[in-house]
Amino acid sequence: MASSPLQFSTPFRTLLLSSPSLRKSPRLPFHPSLFSPPLTQKTLTFSTGTRAVSGSGKFCWRAKASMAGTTMEKGKGKVEVFDSEENLSVSLAKYTADLAAKFSKEKGSFTVVLSGGSLIKSLRKLVEPPYVDAIDWSTWHVFWVDERVVPKDHDDSNYKLAFDGKGVKCNLTPTTFTVQGAVALCFSLWQVPILPGNVYAINDALSAEGAADDYETCLKHLVKSNVLSVSTATGFPKFDLMLLGMGPDGHVASLFPGHPLVKENEKWVTFIKDSPKPPPERITFTFPVINSSAHIALVICGAGKAGPVHSALGNSQNSDPLPVQMVSPEGELVWFLDKDAASKL
């Protein structure tokens, strides 16, 4: 199997993605496992053709064959509910690919921000036909909304997760990606020909504070070189698409309920040393950066997250809003929910 080296540039470090394997850097060892062993009216639309319409504060159900969601009340965005995570991933791939084509045509680049967790699994349809061959991957610039301050080969690393999918229960075999037209069961960055230098990882040799400052410097460099645009409304960087997950406590990125960082409104990237979820040291985009995005997709699956989804989209009134309730982009917000996550709506 061919290999390629890690490459670093000042003031930020990037990864060469021209081959499906990574060689150890003399300075930064990295040994990703490439395969997991073994291989006010509200309208919600379900991919199986079930539609929910609110009436007198409660939902009634009637059949409708549709995959599309409809716009909810102002400020909460569009909500799409799917009967299965499989159908959700199909729709998410089309949504992402359509935006990639739009921005690539308009400005020659597509800036996309990833998070960790189960989101990576839900992106797997992007590396299947027709998208894997139709997308112009050379225009993609990939960032992370947050990252754990651990080595890149550590199982807690969001960077590592995006490369090998380890930890998201993807059932892979080596033939999955070598057979023409085979079905990929997990998204992995090494599967797509993103140009060298277009993946922006943290400098894990630095402290949490240093890594946050370094990543913000990286973003400012990209603004000056016109890779990133700036919101005329806020002055913060404006990403084309942010793909966010949500924790069972309603946190997004590494912005946790009740933590002072949810109120940070000056920095682009900040750090946390007392994360309530391990590992404790992380860096994260702040809400002004998150909410300056042109498009945000909130991708949420599982009954364990139904409570925060209800808090955000239901009729409950919280004096202290959850972080997920603070996601409010300049542009479009779309919620991608499976039926379990939407079960309390």
Side-chain angles (χ1 to χ4, degrees):
M1 184 177 290
S3 61
S4 57
L6 288 172
Q7 293 188 344
F8 307 98
S9 58
T10 304
F12 51 86
R13 302 160 68 187
T14 61
L15 177 71
L16 181 64
L17 297 176
S18 58
S19 78
S21 178
L22 297 174
R23 176 182 297 159
K24 286 196 300 181
S25 165
R27 181 166 173 256
L28 223 100
F30 183 56
H31 303 279
S33 170
L34 298 180
F35 307 104
S36 295
L39 266 220
T40 251
Q41 170 169 320
K42 304 173 187 174
T43 303
L44 304 178
T45 306
F46 284 71
S47 62
T48 53
T50 305
R51 188 183 185 195
V53 182
S54 64
S56 302
K58 296 183 179 180
F59 288 103
C60 54
W61 305 95
R62 66 175 182 262
K64 179 181 177 180
S66 174
M67 282 286 290
T70 55
T71 302
M72 295 184 68
E73 58 195 65
K74 184 177 179 182
K76 295 188 177 180
K78 177 192 285 187
V79 178
E80 294 187 10
V81 181
F82 300 89
D83 186 59
S84 67
E85 190 276 339
E86 174 74 11
N87 288 335
L88 180 153
S89 67
V90 170
S91 183
L92 181 62
K94 183 179 186 305
Y95 176 79
T96 303
D98 287 349
L99 285 178
K102 172 183 178 291
F103 284 105
S104 296
K105 181 178 180 181
E106 289 177 356
K107 60 189 184 73
S109 65
F110 178 53
T111 55
V112 59
V113 180
L114 304 178
S115 55
S118 59
L119 170 76
I120 299 302
K121 177 183 176 183
S122 295
L123 291 174
R124 66 189 179 277
K125 297 297 180 181
L126 284 172
V127 294
E128 293 180 17
Y131 303 115
V132 67
D133 297 319
I135 290 174
D136 183 0
W137 297 101
S138 68
T139 67
W140 281 49
H141 293 258
V142 180
F143 304 82
W144 279 265
V145 70
D146 70 327
E147 181 57 284
R148 292 85 180 271
V149 183
V150 295
K152 290 188 179 69
D153 60 351
H154 195 284
D155 284 345
D156 286 332
S157 169
N158 286 338
Y159 167 92
K160 182 178 187 291
L161 181 66
F163 270 90
D164 62 17
K166 187 174 181 181
V168 293
K169 299 180 181 179
C170 297
N171 190 19
L172 307 179
T173 67
T175 57
T176 304
F177 308 117
T178 58
V179 178
Q180 182 69 25
V183 175
L185 298 178
C186 185
F187 176 79
S188 180
L189 281 176
W190 67 255
Q191 296 167 247
V192 293
I194 298 177
L195 290 178
N198 284 14
V199 174
Y200 305 93
I202 72 165
N203 186 338
D204 58 359
L206 301 175
S207 66
E209 183 175 7
D213 289 343
D214 184 71
Y215 210 83
E216 181 166 326
T217 299
C218 162
L219 300 185
K220 290 179 177 179
H221 174 89
L222 294 173
V223 167
K224 290 180 180 179
S225 59
N226 295 318
V227 172
L228 280 176
S229 59
V230 172
S231 166
T232 57
T234 67
F236 287 89
K238 189 181 186 76
F239 292 92
D240 298 329
L241 173 62
M242 217 170 264
L243 294 160
L244 300 180
M246 183 198 74
D249 60 353
H251 83 266
V252 293
S254 285
L255 300 167
F256 293 91
H259 197 281
L261 285 185
V262 300
K263 298 179 181 179
E264 172 60 53
N265 60 11
E266 293 183 0
K267 293 182 179 179
W268 293 12
V269 184
T270 190
F271 67 97
I272 179 172
K273 289 187 174 182
D274 57 350
S275 168
K277 179 181 178 182
E281 295 194 356
R282 302 157 176 245
I283 73 167
T284 182
F285 285 3
T286 59
F287 270 122
V289 172
I290 292 171
N291 288 333
S292 294
S293 300
H295 299 267
I296 291 180
L298 269 167
V299 184
I300 305 171
C301 296
K305 300 180 180 181
V309 169
H310 177 259
S311 296
L313 296 175
N315 296 322
S316 61
Q317 300 293 326
N318 292 337
S319 57
D320 190 13
L322 296 172
V324 71
Q325 294 175 269
M326 300 171 68
V327 176
S328 181
E330 289 183 17
E332 179 186 59
L333 172 61
V334 181
W335 297 69
F336 288 82
L337 310 176
D338 72 354
K339 64 180 181 180
D340 291 334
S343 60
K344 293 186 178 182
L345 293 178

